[in-house]
Amino acid sequence: MRIAILMTNTDDSAFAHRHPKDGAKFTALVQMARPHWSCDVFAVKDDIFPEDISRYDGVMITGSPASTRSGAPWVDRLLALIRQIHDRKIPLFGACFGHQAIALALGGRVDDLPGGWVHGRTENHLVARPEWAAELPDVVSIYGSHVEYVHELPKGADPLMTRDGHSTGFTLGRHIATTQHHPEMTHDFICALTEELRTDMEPQVHARALDSLQEQADQPALAEAIARFFEAARVG
């Protein structure tokens, strides 16, 4: 398969330059499960978009510190592209910002997260089990870092995962799947990011993050599930 990765991460800090970019992270996630698949990265945050999205077997939208509610021209253009992808039923997977952007583009609602910043390893209860998610555990561990969330799902969407009473992933038809969190992040990266953001966090948030990172996320299982999602969506 050929996957388009729409890179939305606006972080241009020294820390970001010391680590692989999100395009590389998502490519590694895809190829962890399907080494022969190819990925093309488009920095949509710099207004670089695919000329013809229909050339791709699937699309992934990355995370970002930017807000889907910012009204930035590139965000508006991305929301329009999401609606086009949905209309054409091209398989689409969104993570964090991508999850929120898909929801917002298709009529859902994004708000500030009650209780503030979530950061570290999160435990998400699988509330639906499509065939492609058959091998995921009932409680899925995924690294996360966010202050906004999807308050209302788009019409026709079904919750996939929940955490603390909030949806942390959804499906829409057979061609859309999302997660609020970051399946592309490795344990080494989230640990480094936690230390980088230490002074930006309240002490209790940092302490909870460190405690959560004593165990690792379910990255290999997530990589396989995402690959199966694209395969099932193409068949559907």
Side-chain angles (χ1 to χ4, degrees), residues 89 174-175 229-236:
K89 291 186 167 49
R174 292 176 56 87
H175 62 288
F229 157 72
F230 281 117
E231 291 167 341
R234 288 300 291 179
V235 170

Side-chain angles (χ1 to χ4, degrees), residues 9-230:
N9 193 338
T10 54
D11 183 9
D12 197 36
S13 67
F15 172 83
H17 285 281
R18 292 196 298 270
H19 295 272
K21 299 295 188 291
D22 277 10
K25 290 192 190 80
F26 275 84
T27 298
L29 178 71
V30 168
Q31 295 181 345
M32 180 183 296
R34 299 292 184 272
H36 57 290
W37 288 10
S38 63
C39 298
D40 294 338
V41 179
F42 299 89
V44 296
K45 54 96 177 184
D46 295 325
D47 210 33
I48 300 171
F49 284 75
E51 290 186 6
D52 182 3
I53 199 67
S54 66
R55 296 173 55 196
Y56 290 91
D57 299 300
V59 181
M60 305 179 86
I61 305 176
T62 75
S64 177
S67 173
T68 58
R69 299 180 289 169
S70 68
W74 71 266
V75 173
D76 288 343
R77 186 177 176 187
L78 176 62
L79 298 182
L81 179 58
I82 289 168
R83 289 187 283 269
Q84 178 184 342
I85 291 168
H86 173 52
D87 288 344
R88 296 184 181 186
K89 291 186 167 49
I90 299 170
L92 174 63
F93 177 83
C96 198
F97 178 99
H99 157 80
Q100 295 171 16
I102 293 168
L104 192 61
L106 301 182
R109 177 179 164 189
V110 175
D111 281 325
D112 294 336
L113 184 65
W117 202 347
V118 167
H119 183 89
R121 183 179 61 85
T122 69
E123 294 187 342
N124 303 267
H125 295 269
L126 202 64
V127 295
R129 194 176 287 279
E131 183 178 350
W132 53 264
E135 302 303 317
L136 287 178
D138 291 338
V139 179
V140 186
S141 292
I142 318 176
Y143 301 127
S145 186
H146 66 111
V147 294
E148 296 181 317
Y149 80 119
V150 174
H151 189 177
E152 294 179 8
L153 296 180
K155 184 178 179 180
D158 295 307
L160 178 64
M161 301 179 189
T162 63
R163 179 179 182 273
D164 294 340
H166 305 306
S167 174
T168 54
F170 66 86
T171 59
L172 183 54
R174 292 176 56 87
H175 62 288
I176 290 177
T178 74
T179 173
Q180 173 56 67
H181 303 305
H182 289 275
E184 83 286 0
M185 286 187 180
T186 64
H187 191 258
D188 286 346
F189 179 80
I190 189 66
C191 288
L193 182 62
T194 302
E195 287 311 301
E196 175 69 14
L197 297 176
R198 181 172 191 158
T199 58
D200 297 324
M201 297 179 183
E202 295 180 358
Q204 63 268 30
V205 175
H206 185 258
R208 284 198 303 267
L210 289 181
D211 184 61
S212 74
L213 294 174
Q214 293 183 41
E215 297 182 32
Q216 297 198 20
D218 297 315
Q219 190 181 43
L222 287 161
E224 179 63 26
I226 292 166
R228 292 184 180 187
F229 157 72
F230 281 117

